[in-house]
């Protein structure tokens, strides 16, 4: 019995999504590779290589090496690299605009004047409650902003410009509304149950009675003075 040689057909698989091939991730390619590691880095700590020096505070970052926070002595190994300095304002990390705008688009990010220099914050600083009369807030963390800005920091711009942000924002609002409703209902019911069980720490004003009224209106009596002395007639 003769068996004919038949070649197995080969089908070429062409992925529709470029992400399968690892070459077209717009979300990752939108930002430089050093930005997210920079925002996650912890600055103003003691350098582990120059702990004995008085200049061992790590407030520098190399954009080319991306190997963590550096102190001023570490920069001798990064002479031809792009190094930036991180500064601090109210316990938050900032960077000067004239340094970061050379390598990154910081449009729509709120700028501040600190020590006569224009700076931007690295990460978000949420506000529990916006101020009175505020008409514009950060689209990510709801911090009060000027009308011409959309984000309060570089980190908020990364989150707010991502494709998944509208979905994340909607989910956040839903969770916030549900938690606020639950807390209100539980607090109101617990207050009605616990009013008679637990005394208030702030005493209430007692009702005004006739006794209290008389005691409040009562005046001191006429003072009785001791005699000045005996009058001796001569």
């Amino acid at each position: 019995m003769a068996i004919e040689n038949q070649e197995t057909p080969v089908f070429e698989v062409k992925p529709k999504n470029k992400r399968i091939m690892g070459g077209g991730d717009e979300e990752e390619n939108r930002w430089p590779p050093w930005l997210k590691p920079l925002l996650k880095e912890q600055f103003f700590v003691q350098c582990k290589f120059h702990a004995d020096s008085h200049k061992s505070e790590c407030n520098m970052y190399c954009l080319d090496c991306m190997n963590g926070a550096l102190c001023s002595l570490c920069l001798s190994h990064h002479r031809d690299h792009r190094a930036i300095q991180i500064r601090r304002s109210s316990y938050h990390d900032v960077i000067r605009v004239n340094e970061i705008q050379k390598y990154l688009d910081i449009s729509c990010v709120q700028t501040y004047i600190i020590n006569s220099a224009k700076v931007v914050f690295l990460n978000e600083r949420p506000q529990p409650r916006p101020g009175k009369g505020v008409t514009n807030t950060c689209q990510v963390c709801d911090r009060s902003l000027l009308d011409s800005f959309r984000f309060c920091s570089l980190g908020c711009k990364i989150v707010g410009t991502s494709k998944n942000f509208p979905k994340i924002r909607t989910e956040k609002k839903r969770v916030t509304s549900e938690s606020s409703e639950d807390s209100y209902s539980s607090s109101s019911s617990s207050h009605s149950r616990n009013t008679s069980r637990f005394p208030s720490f702030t005493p209430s004003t007692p009702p005004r009675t006739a006794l209290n009224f008389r005691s409040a209106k009562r005046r001191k009596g006429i003072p009785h003075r001791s005699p000045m002395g005996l009058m001796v007639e001569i």
Side-chain angles (χ1 to χ4, degrees):
M1 182 176 179
I3 300 177
E4 296 181 359
N5 293 329
Q6 295 181 355
E7 295 182 357
T8 304
V10 178
F11 298 96
E12 182 181 0
V13 179
K14 296 181 179 180
K16 296 181 180 179
N17 193 344
K18 293 183 179 180
R19 293 185 182 182
I20 299 177
M21 303 300 293
D25 194 346
E26 296 179 359
E27 291 293 334
E28 293 297 329
N29 296 332
R30 178 182 298 180
W31 309 106
W34 49 262
L35 181 56
K36 291 183 180 180
L38 169 67
L39 300 181
K40 295 178 182 178
E41 191 60 49
Q42 184 178 4
F43 294 96
F44 300 96
V45 296
Q46 191 178 45
C47 179
K48 57 184 178 181
F49 300 109
H50 306 95
D52 297 333
S53 174
H54 66 282
K55 296 181 179 180
S56 61
E57 189 177 55
C58 294
N59 62 342
M60 308 293 297
Y61 190 82
C62 180
L63 304 183
D64 297 318
C65 297
M66 299 181 292
N67 55 351
L70 307 173
C71 70
S72 57
L73 299 177
C74 294
L75 292 181
S76 59
H77 303 286
H78 304 266
R79 292 178 180 175
D80 298 328
H81 296 177
R82 298 171 299 169
I84 57 176
Q85 182 177 357
I86 306 301
R87 292 171 169 82
R88 181 156 282 193
S89 173
S90 302
Y91 304 100
H92 294 279
D93 297 335
V94 301
I95 186 171
R96 287 185 175 178
V97 171
N98 58 4
E99 290 187 47
I100 193 63
Q101 67 182 358
K102 300 176 184 177
Y103 316 111
L104 184 68
D105 178 18
I106 60 172
S107 58
C108 301
V109 180
Q110 171 86 59
T111 58
Y112 299 87
I113 303 296
I114 298 177
N115 295 332
S116 302
K118 188 179 291 187
V119 301
V120 292
F121 283 84
L122 297 188
N123 293 293
E124 65 177 23
R125 297 169 299 138
Q127 264 183 330
R129 192 175 298 173
K132 266 191 174 182
V134 175
T135 58
N136 185 36
T137 58
C138 178
Q139 295 182 4
V140 178
C141 68
D142 297 327
R143 186 171 187 85
S144 303
L145 299 178
L146 297 177
D147 293 338
S148 56
F149 298 100
R150 295 171 54 197
F151 309 105
C152 72
S153 63
L154 300 179
C156 285
K157 182 174 181 178
I158 293 179
V159 177
T161 54
S162 65
K163 293 182 178 180
N164 295 328
F165 178 68
K167 181 179 179 181
I168 297 173
R169 184 72 169 175
T170 305
E171 182 67 19
K172 180 181 177 182
K173 288 183 177 179
R174 185 184 66 81
V175 173
T176 304
S177 61
E178 289 179 356
S179 60
S180 60
E181 290 176 0
D182 293 343
S183 61
Y184 175 78
S185 59
S186 61
S187 61
S188 59
S189 60
S190 61
H191 176 73
S192 61
R193 291 194 307 266
N194 298 334
T195 303
S196 59
R197 294 172 53 191
F198 300 99
S200 174
F201 289 99
T202 304
S204 59
T205 304
R208 195 165 188 178
T209 61
L211 180 61
N212 292 336
F213 181 79
R214 287 198 303 267
S215 61
K217 292 293 183 178
R218 187 174 57 190
R219 296 182 178 179
K220 294 182 178 179
I222 300 174
H224 298 280
R225 299 180 179 178
S226 60
M228 298 295 294
L230 296 177
M231 299 295 293
V232 179
E233 295 182 359
I234 301 177

